Amino acid sequence: QVRLVESGGGLVQAGGSLRLSCTASGLTFGVTAMGWFRQAPGKEREGVSWISCSGGSTYYADSVKGRFTISRDNAKNTLYLQMNSLKPEDTAIYYCAARTSLLCSGSSTRTQDYKYWGQGTQVTVSS
C-alpha cells in the first residue's frame, strides 16, 4: 500500500518561506519520479514542480520558477519543496504525487500522469 504524507504547511506572511516535506512508503522511492501540485479554492489542481528519480533533473511552473526548489532524499524516502518569496497567490493546498515507478525521465506536471497522491497540506500566505 502506497502512502504519501505531506507536512510543513502553515501560515506565513508575504515574502516569507516554508519548506514542505513528503514522506513516501510502499513504493520504491528511488525509481519513482515525483511532483508537487497545488489547488487553490475554486481553481483546478495545477502542477508546480517535477523531479526525476535521481533528483538530477527538475522542472518548475513559470509561476514559481526562481522562488521554489524541489529536491529529494532517496535514502530517507522524502521529497521536499522549499518555497521562498511567498506571495498571497501561492495560497493553496499543496499535494505531493508519485508517478508509476521506473518512469524516471520526461518531466510532467499533468495530474493524469501521476498514480499516487498525498492528502495535502495547507499553505496560506497573508499580505
Side-chain angles (χ1 to χ4, degrees):
Q1 180 184 357
V2 175
R3 192 164 182 234
L4 303 175
V5 180
E6 301 97 335
S7 61
L11 173 65
V12 64
Q13 289 188 330
S17 298
L18 282 174
R19 188 194 197 201
L20 305 183
S21 299
C22 170
T23 302
S25 60
L27 52 74
T28 308
F29 190 72
V31 295
T32 304
M34 302 290 295
W36 283 101
F37 292 76
R38 66 186 182 187
Q39 187 166 18
K43 294 188 177 182
E44 290 188 355
R45 192 170 298 189
E46 64 169 346
V48 172
S49 186
W50 166 92
I51 189 166
S52 64
C53 300
S54 67
S57 297
T58 58
Y59 173 86
Y60 298 93
D62 288 343
S63 57
V64 306
K65 199 173 295 182
R67 300 188 297 122
F68 290 11
T69 303
I70 191 171
S71 63
R72 63 192 296 161
D73 185 336
N74 286 349
K76 296 182 178 179
N77 283 11
T78 303
L79 175 73
Y80 303 100
L81 186 68
Q82 177 67 44
M83 304 186 296
N84 299 329
S85 302
L86 282 161
K87 305 175 181 179
E89 51 264 43
D90 294 318
T91 295
I93 299 174
Y94 282 72
Y95 300 90
C96 71
R99 298 199 69 181
T100 300
S101 291
L102 301 178
L103 290 178
C104 291
S105 60
S107 62
S108 173
T109 51
R110 302 190 312 165
T111 56
Q112 59 265 44
D113 288 340
Y114 288 77
K115 187 172 183 180
Y116 304 105
W117 293 84
Q119 83 290 346
T121 185
Q122 176 71 48
V123 171
T124 304
V125 184
S126 63
S127 56

